[in-house]
Amino acid sequence: MQSLGPALYVFSHVLMAFALAFAVPMGWAWFHDDTAHELQWAQAAGLTLLSGALLWLVTRRQRRELATRDGFLLVNLVWLVLPAYAALPLKWMVPDITWHHAYFEAMSALTATGATALSGLERLPVSVNVWRCFLQYVGGLGVMLLVVAVLPMLGLGGMQLYKAETPGPMKDQKLTPRIAETARGLWMVYFAFSVACFLAYRWAGMSWADAFMHMCSTMGLAGFSSYDASIGHFQSAAVEWVAVVFMALAGISFLRYFMVLRGMTLRPLWNDREIRTYAIVLAASIALVTLMLLAEGVYADGPTAVRQAAFHVLSLATTTGYATTDYMQWPVFIPVFLLFLGTFVSCAGSTGGGIKMVRMVLLVKQARRELVRIIHPHVVNPVTLGGQAVPAQVMAAVLGFMLFYGAATMGLTFLLLLSGLDLVTAFSAVVATVNNIGPGLGEVGPAGNYGGLSPFQLWVLSFAMLLGRLELLSVLVLFTRAFWRR
């Protein structure tokens, strides 16, 4: 307990603060005169608050400044334990739901994955759907803090990459002197975009409740909806284009938006190699999918093909996971290609999942460097971003990350295959959860969900979502002997 004490002390405050989140669905229950469920929300909030208070009493004498090890313990505690408390109201209010499904749903929400195990969403109380979507928004807020406070300890977080790819004298300066101030700045940008997204959805024809829920899942790049048909329920081109715009914006690093506001110039966006590559890949992918849809006769008119291509490319590439149609019925290349895009397109510092575009850019540059060295062994050809050489430790961290990424994907896939799942469903489910995409292929495609999986399979995929959200190494470092050695 002595070694865990400081992390548990801070976690007690996180748990008590999390109890306040229950006020959001409780407010919706009160607004809709749902007194029975209003009481259950209050009970969940009370239990969470009481647990945090008791933990605070036990650990209050162990308060000290957190060390690196404490940071990793804390972030794993947050994303492992909070889903258990978030799952309580789902277990109490969703008919016939098991604890395995409730925890999976809560983990999917807080990690902004959007892989649902529920069906009949339209029949659920409004407050339950509000809670599912709001959890994704809370998860997005957590990612903002993760980017500036925890991942830099691994040498591969937002701050290291920010410094590596920023040209000129700014590269050795932090965004602000203190992590707390930086996090507040990122949250301010996040809230500003959220208000704009909420009003845009309302303008496009959604009800206030639907606009709020889909704003939460859009800005969190998570993809939960209040309808089984997802965005397709609305049958609205305006709604789809609003989603396209804000998914594209949310897929870009919020660090860059913060720098734009601080400097009152768009130069941080225009000069960013990662963002330029992000835009090029999205544009090329939309063009490719549009041409295939027209060539295969899926859609007869160009505007519809462009809209459907843009929507699903943005939805899967940014790891949001919305759908307006069952794209598994499209030419087989397209759904596999869309799933592939979700593994790397989102920018570092966004709420999206996957390995992030900046790592892909660095890997491509490293591969090109090795090809040049084969021909010219003595040439000095460093990997660069923004005109600056990328430090060797950053490249080592990226290559190490990719090694663990591949090993985790294959290992978890084999576990699902051992459990009896078919190859397409098993592999795509792991890819979709490790990269926090949501829908996969086969049984877990856009027309299905994860509800038919066994408890063992759900727990494997819950762990996959945790790995993906915390960028693998933040979790796997806990399994090393050196981490626990005094």
Side-chain angles (χ1 to χ4, degrees), residues 58-71:
V58 172
T59 60
R60 69 187 188 281
R61 298 184 186 279
Q62 300 186 45
R63 178 182 180 182
R64 63 167 169 78
E65 188 172 345
L66 294 184
T68 299
R69 184 176 67 173
D70 300 321

Side-chain angles (χ1 to χ4, degrees), residues 238-267:
V239 167
E240 292 170 24
W241 281 118
V242 167
V244 165
V245 169
F246 283 96
M247 286 188 293
L249 291 173
I252 294 173
S253 171
F254 282 86
L255 293 167
R256 293 305 185 200
Y257 293 132
F258 184 51
M259 291 170 64
V260 167
L261 288 178
R262 287 190 67 207
M264 298 304 293
T265 174
L266 293 176
R267 190 171 299 170

Side-chain angles (χ1 to χ4, degrees), residues 185-370:
L186 295 178
W187 290 341
M188 178 184 68
V189 176
Y190 191 58
F191 285 134
F193 275 100
S194 300
V195 171
C197 182
F198 172 61
L199 295 176
Y201 273 135
R202 178 64 181 139
W203 166 84
M206 285 188 178
S207 68
W208 289 110
D210 283 335
F212 175 78
M213 287 184 275
H214 289 86
M215 174 277 291
C216 289
S217 53
T218 299
M219 292 310 303
L221 294 179
F224 272 173
S225 177
S226 49
Y227 302 96
D228 287 340
S230 187
I231 294 290
H233 167 84
F234 299 98
Q235 296 292 304
S236 168
V239 167
E240 292 170 24
W241 281 118
V242 167
V244 165
V245 169
F246 283 96
M247 286 188 293
L249 291 173
I252 294 173
S253 171
F254 282 86
L255 293 167
R256 293 305 185 200
Y257 293 132
F258 184 51
M259 291 170 64
V260 167
L261 288 178
R262 287 190 67 207
M264 298 304 293
T265 174
L266 293 176
R267 190 171 299 170
L269 296 178
W270 304 142
N271 294 343
D272 190 291
R273 173 63 184 270
E274 182 185 27
I275 295 174
R276 292 200 307 270
T277 309
Y278 169 82
I280 291 169
V281 170
L282 287 179
S285 300
I286 291 170
L288 175 61
V289 173
T290 299
L291 290 174
M292 289 199 66
L293 292 176
L294 290 172
E296 297 292 331
V298 178
Y299 296 102
D301 62 296
T304 301
V306 170
R307 188 179 81 249
Q308 292 294 332
F311 181 88
H312 289 94
V313 165
L314 264 298
S315 177
L316 274 294
T318 61
T319 72
T320 307
Y322 285 144
T324 61
T325 186
D326 182 11
Y327 52 80
M328 288 296 294
Q329 303 305 313
W330 292 355
V332 66
F333 170 85
I334 297 178
V336 177
F337 178 65
L338 294 177
L339 190 65
F340 167 69
L341 290 177
T343 63
F344 71 93
V345 169
S346 294
C347 296
S350 73
T351 53
I355 66 174
K356 303 300 188 298
M357 180 61 80
V358 69
R359 287 197 186 96
M360 182 59 72
V361 170
L362 291 174
L363 287 170
V364 171
K365 284 176 171 282
Q366 176 68 14
R368 186 185 303 160
R369 176 175 180 262
E370 294 304 316

Side-chain angles (χ1 to χ4, degrees), residues 1-291:
M1 174 65 77
Q2 186 68 29
S3 61
L4 297 177
L8 289 174
Y9 172 78
V10 176
F11 179 68
S12 69
H13 289 79
V14 174
L15 200 55
M16 288 187 284
F18 186 66
L20 299 176
F22 290 94
V24 174
M26 193 188 310
W28 283 99
W30 173 82
F31 182 76
H32 286 269
D33 201 24
D34 188 0
T35 54
H37 292 128
E38 187 180 341
L39 178 61
Q40 290 175 309
W41 290 115
Q43 290 172 339
L47 181 59
T48 306
L49 183 62
L50 178 62
S51 300
L54 290 175
L55 184 59
W56 176 82
L57 285 173
V58 172
T59 60
R60 69 187 188 281
R61 298 184 186 279
Q62 300 186 45
R63 178 182 180 182
R64 63 167 169 78
E65 188 172 345
L66 294 184
T68 299
R69 184 176 67 173
D70 300 321
F72 290 124
L73 281 172
L74 176 61
V75 79
N76 279 275
L77 277 171
V78 168
W79 260 278
L80 271 173
V81 179
L82 289 193
Y85 285 92
L88 289 175
L90 299 178
K91 184 69 177 72
W92 294 341
M93 296 183 223
V94 178
D96 304 321
I97 191 174
T98 68
W99 175 251
H100 316 288
H101 289 78
Y103 185 87
F104 177 89
E105 194 79 6
M107 175 65 81
S108 179
L110 279 170
T111 56
T113 302
T116 185
L118 303 181
S119 56
L121 299 176
E122 298 91 338
R123 298 189 295 273
L124 295 178
V126 174
S127 59
V128 170
N129 277 323
V130 166
W131 180 237
R132 293 171 62 248
C133 295
F134 182 65
L135 285 174
Q136 298 182 319
Y137 192 74
V138 172
L141 291 172
V143 171
M144 295 296 99
L145 186 57
L146 190 71
V147 164
V148 296
V150 178
L151 294 183
M153 298 177 189
L154 292 171
L156 50 78
M159 201 62 70
Q160 272 71 13
L161 295 174
Y162 154 75
K163 290 169 67 175
E165 61 180 309
T166 302
M170 282 291 290
K171 69 183 181 68
D172 291 322
Q173 301 174 10
K174 290 190 176 182
L175 291 175
T176 60
R178 299 173 60 84
I179 285 175
E181 187 179 346
T182 300
R184 281 195 296 270
L186 295 178
W187 290 341
M188 178 184 68
V189 176
Y190 191 58
F191 285 134
F193 275 100
S194 300
V195 171
C197 182
F198 172 61
L199 295 176
Y201 273 135
R202 178 64 181 139
W203 166 84
M206 285 188 178
S207 68
W208 289 110
D210 283 335
F212 175 78
M213 287 184 275
H214 289 86
M215 174 277 291
C216 289
S217 53
T218 299
M219 292 310 303
L221 294 179
F224 272 173
S225 177
S226 49
Y227 302 96
D228 287 340
S230 187
I231 294 290
H233 167 84
F234 299 98
Q235 296 292 304
S236 168
V239 167
E240 292 170 24
W241 281 118
V242 167
V244 165
V245 169
F246 283 96
M247 286 188 293
L249 291 173
I252 294 173
S253 171
F254 282 86
L255 293 167
R256 293 305 185 200
Y257 293 132
F258 184 51
M259 291 170 64
V260 167
L261 288 178
R262 287 190 67 207
M264 298 304 293
T265 174
L266 293 176
R267 190 171 299 170
L269 296 178
W270 304 142
N271 294 343
D272 190 291
R273 173 63 184 270
E274 182 185 27
I275 295 174
R276 292 200 307 270
T277 309
Y278 169 82
I280 291 169
V281 170
L282 287 179
S285 300
I286 291 170
L288 175 61
V289 173
T290 299
L291 290 174

